[in-house]
């Protein structure tokens, strides 16, 4: 099986090199010299200019990169908010309103 995988890699490399060589080949078109890759890009842009949606998407995907995948859309409508009133845990009582600092003695805290 390793021989089959290696053979597949060799074929892929050969195809890639052949494709790149053909894309870089310069041809004369309409009195202008251009590579095959330039001709393909020019044709794609022309289709995009004529409002071909697939071509427009392809041009922007290739020039700006694909946008990141979106997260799932939240459910429609407002989300509920739950508000609860919690009882106070304060230990202050209304009967003892005097504080130790006002019940005579010196003004110094070290007394």
């Amino acid at each position: 099986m390793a021989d089959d995988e290696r053979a597949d890699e060799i074929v892929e490399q050969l195809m890639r090199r052949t494709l790149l060589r053909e894309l870089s080949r310069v041809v004369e078109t309409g009195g202008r010299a251009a590579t095959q890759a330039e001709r393909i890009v020019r044709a794609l842009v022309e289709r995009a200019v004529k409002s071909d949606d697939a071509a427009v998407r392809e041009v922007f995907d290739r020039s700006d990169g694909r946008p990141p995948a979106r997260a799932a859309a939240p459910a429609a409508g407002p989300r509920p908010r739950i508000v609860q009133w919690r009882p106070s845990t304060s230990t202050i009582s209304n009967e003892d309103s005097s504080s130790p600092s006002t019940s005579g003695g010196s003004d110094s805290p070290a007394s």
Side-chain angles (χ1 to χ4, degrees):
M1 183 98 128
D3 290 339
D4 288 343
E5 290 175 5
R6 179 68 182 138
D8 288 346
E9 287 178 22
I10 292 170
V11 170
E12 287 174 15
Q13 289 174 2
L14 179 61
M15 288 296 293
R16 188 177 307 114
R17 275 189 253 142
T18 303
L19 179 61
L20 291 174
R21 185 173 50 247
E22 184 60 27
L23 287 171
S24 64
R25 186 169 62 92
V26 177
V27 292
E28 189 82 19
T29 306
R32 274 181 82 187
T35 64
Q36 295 283 52
E38 289 170 329
R39 291 179 65 212
I40 292 169
V41 169
R42 195 170 294 125
L44 176 64
V45 171
E46 288 299 320
R47 283 181 41 206
V49 168
K50 293 176 182 173
S51 300
D52 180 327
D53 290 341
V56 170
R57 254 190 319 276
E58 191 68 23
V59 166
F60 282 110
D61 283 351
R62 298 296 175 198
S63 61
D64 290 340
R66 294 185 184 264
R70 292 186 186 186
R79 292 175 37 185
R81 303 273 188 220
I82 298 173
V83 179
Q84 294 179 335
W85 185 266
R86 293 187 178 165
S88 173
T89 58
S90 173
T91 58
I92 297 176
S93 109
N94 288 337
E95 296 172 1
D96 183 24
S97 61
S98 66
S99 73
S101 63
T102 59
S103 60
S106 75
D107 291 334
S108 169
S111 62

